[in-house]
Amino acid sequence: MVSTRTPGSSRPRGRFTGRTRTPAQTTGAEPPSRPGPPSSTTLPRPFPRQRGESTFPPTPDRWNPARLASLRWVQLIGCLIAAGWAAAFPLVSDLDNQRLWGLVAAPAYVLAGLLCLVLPRRFAAEAAAVVALLGAVVAPLGLLAVNGRHQSEVMVVERSAHLLLTSGDVYLPHPVVVTDYNPYLPAMSLFGLPRQLLGSSTAFARVAGDARIWFALTFVVCLLAAWRLLRPTRERAPLLPLAILTASPLIALALAVGGVDLPLIGVCCLAMALAERDRTVAAGLVLALACSLKWTAWPALPVAVLLLWRLYGRRPAARTALIATGVSAAVLLPSILTEPTALRDQVVRFPLGMTAIRTPAGSPLPGKVLAGFGPTGHTVSLALMTLALIGVAIWLVARPPVSAIAAADLLAGGLAIAFTLAPAGRFGYLALPAVLMIWPRLAARRWSSRRPLPPSRAAAPEPALPL
């Protein structure tokens, strides 16, 4: 009988692909017949950085995002697109905060593009990223925070924290105007606690207690942690990619004026990275936090659980599912028991446009356009969204993800369909699926969603001696 398994490698475990194990050292090997350097065909024993990590290099790809981002013409085009995006807000937006952001951010993007062209290549990208970050994020956010200006969702989050401390609940029982509605789950009120602790008496308190600051910190910390888990080699922190992503109009506008979706983006990226690395307890806790912030994050739970089941088997998947559902249920249970009607109307019916007072969220997306034709169009929008999500669920079960990139892609696809076909929505909601598709690829340094084979499997092994 002839064995095709590479000598010294442990047998795979798990439902399909198995746990990634460090190849065991071969014991009892005969010494070489003559002295000299080791054969070039001998595979070195990799030293894993952590449990379940793939220690082989990423698959080379000519369309790797990191390689494309290093080209000057790509950097210039990106800065010009961002400048045009920002310059459009003072012309088309009817919100003062968004117009202010556009006026400050557009010149910063133009200056960043010029720096990409004129500065030496070795530090042009870093300088441009710093200028864009200061002009598109720090400056407008500082101006708005010092003056107490923000979108209504920031006020809703800070008010929910006040209600939590005074009454034990986060929802107003009888909302009258649109700002009385709280479309978020109870855990979102945690970001409003700094305002209740620091107040607004001084400029420092107004800035440090602003919920947007804590939205941004959670977003940055989660993306850094996801990068550390998914990176193929040991390297310094991804300050440049993170600065570019944060300074992009996709994130910068949301961060400056509202930012309520940023924590959700961060925890979803981190949950997929933890699931790929078999961190079952941490993945369950992060998923519980996501599911306690907004109900739109609930699809992240089955996606992460199926990723764990596909890679490591039923027990890790079940452990993560139990932790996530148990902790999130404990967070939601008090509101379900005390204010079930307010929870249903404000968290579910209000975002879907099913209450007497309609949500101000509106963009010319297909679902919103259909809902504008009256009750029939609203029903058609909900039906199309439901059918599309059922199709995504069938695809998820039929082809479970095999990597964090694949899991993030499936989650991003489902959320993008839901946000596009929902009766009410904003273009800003699409930041979540966009970052889910971009950040894991930047961290893993590969474009494909497939897991690359380790060298012991990618290369054809030499046939072993007959047993």
Side-chain angles (χ1 to χ4, degrees):
M1 178 178 180
V2 178
S3 173
T4 59
R5 184 167 59 92
T6 304
S9 299
S10 59
R11 295 185 181 276
R13 297 176 59 190
R15 180 64 179 86
F16 282 91
T17 60
R19 293 181 184 267
T20 303
R21 295 290 190 183
T22 303
Q25 286 183 333
T26 305
T27 58
E30 296 182 0
S33 58
R34 57 182 178 180
S39 173
S40 59
T41 59
T42 302
L43 294 176
R45 180 179 185 268
F47 185 81
R49 176 170 54 85
Q50 58 191 5
R51 181 166 63 103
E53 180 190 10
S54 299
T55 56
F56 45 86
T59 304
D61 192 344
R62 62 178 298 183
W63 298 110
N64 190 292
R67 178 183 176 275
L68 289 176
S70 64
L71 302 177
R72 284 183 181 268
W73 65 270
V74 173
Q75 297 170 0
L76 176 61
I77 291 176
C79 291
L80 293 179
I81 292 175
W85 189 335
F89 278 91
L91 302 176
V92 301
S93 177
D94 56 352
L95 300 177
D96 293 336
N97 295 338
Q98 292 185 355
R99 288 200 295 266
L100 173 63
W101 176 83
L103 290 173
V104 178
Y109 288 136
V110 173
L111 179 58
L114 293 177
L115 294 179
C116 291
L117 288 180
V118 301
L119 292 181
R121 186 183 299 273
R122 62 180 180 274
F123 55 82
E126 289 80 357
V130 170
V131 169
L133 193 64
L134 292 175
V137 177
V138 178
L141 177 60
L143 289 174
L144 294 174
V146 168
N147 293 287
R149 295 171 54 182
H150 45 64
Q151 289 188 173
S152 59
E153 54 260 33
V154 178
M155 182 271 294
V156 169
V157 171
E158 294 178 352
R159 185 191 63 206
S160 67
H162 174 73
L163 293 174
L164 179 65
L165 296 177
T166 56
S167 64
D169 200 359
V170 298
Y171 303 103
L172 291 174
H174 304 291
V176 178
V177 295
V178 66
T179 54
D180 291 343
Y181 283 85
N182 178 11
Y184 313 115
L185 293 174
M188 189 67 77
S189 61
L190 298 176
F191 295 97
L193 291 179
R195 170 65 67 213
Q196 307 307 312
L197 298 177
L198 299 177
S200 304
S201 58
T202 64
F204 172 79
R206 285 194 294 272
V207 174
D210 198 304
R212 287 171 291 185
I213 302 297
W214 303 98
F215 292 153
L217 288 176
T218 303
F219 171 76
V220 170
V221 170
C222 289
L223 289 192
L224 286 175
W227 181 285
R228 184 180 182 278
L229 289 166
L230 295 177
R231 63 181 179 174
T233 58
R234 291 179 180 270
E235 58 185 14
R236 59 184 179 179
L239 299 181
L240 180 59
L242 184 60
I244 293 174
L245 178 65
T246 306
S248 66
L250 193 69
I251 302 298
L253 174 61
L255 196 157
V257 302
V260 72
D261 290 321
L262 295 183
L264 194 63
I265 297 173
V267 295
C268 286
C269 289
L270 180 57
M272 299 306 136
L274 289 168
E276 183 181 288
R277 292 303 187 223
D278 195 18
R279 304 292 185 86
T280 54
V281 176
L285 294 175
V286 171
L287 287 169
L289 175 61
C291 295
S292 303
L293 292 175
K294 294 182 72 173
W295 64 270
T296 51
W298 289 357
L301 177 57
V303 172
V305 168
L306 282 175
L307 174 61
L308 278 164
W309 173 77
R310 182 73 182 267
L311 294 181
Y312 304 109
R314 289 173 293 182
R315 287 188 178 182
R319 189 182 305 118
T320 297
L322 288 175
I323 293 173
T325 54
V327 175
S328 57
V331 174
L332 300 178
L333 190 60
S335 297
I336 294 175
L337 295 177
T338 57
E339 293 289 343
T341 303
L343 182 67
R344 181 197 61 195
D345 291 342
Q346 298 187 38
V347 176
V348 180
R349 291 172 56 85
F350 176 69
L352 294 177
M354 301 174 66
T355 55
I357 300 177
R358 298 300 177 90
T359 173
S363 293
L365 295 172
K368 180 65 175 179
V369 173
L370 286 174
F373 289 103
T376 302
H378 189 275
T379 303
V380 171
S381 173
L382 291 177
L384 290 176
M385 183 180 67
T386 303
L387 291 175
L389 293 180
I390 290 174
V392 173
I394 294 174
W395 178 269
L396 175 64
V397 175
R399 298 177 64 100
V402 295
S403 66
I405 296 178
D409 287 348
L410 281 170
L411 180 59
L415 292 176
I417 292 173
F419 296 152
T420 303
L421 297 179
R426 294 191 181 103
F427 282 120
Y429 294 165
L430 298 177
L432 173 54
V435 177
L436 280 171
M437 295 186 66
I438 294 172
W439 190 252
R441 286 179 163 82
L442 291 177
R445 289 191 173 184
R446 68 177 188 269
W447 184 254
S448 174
S449 61
R450 298 179 179 178
R451 289 173 63 90
L453 293 175
S456 59
R457 296 185 184 180
E462 295 181 359
L465 295 175
L467 300 178

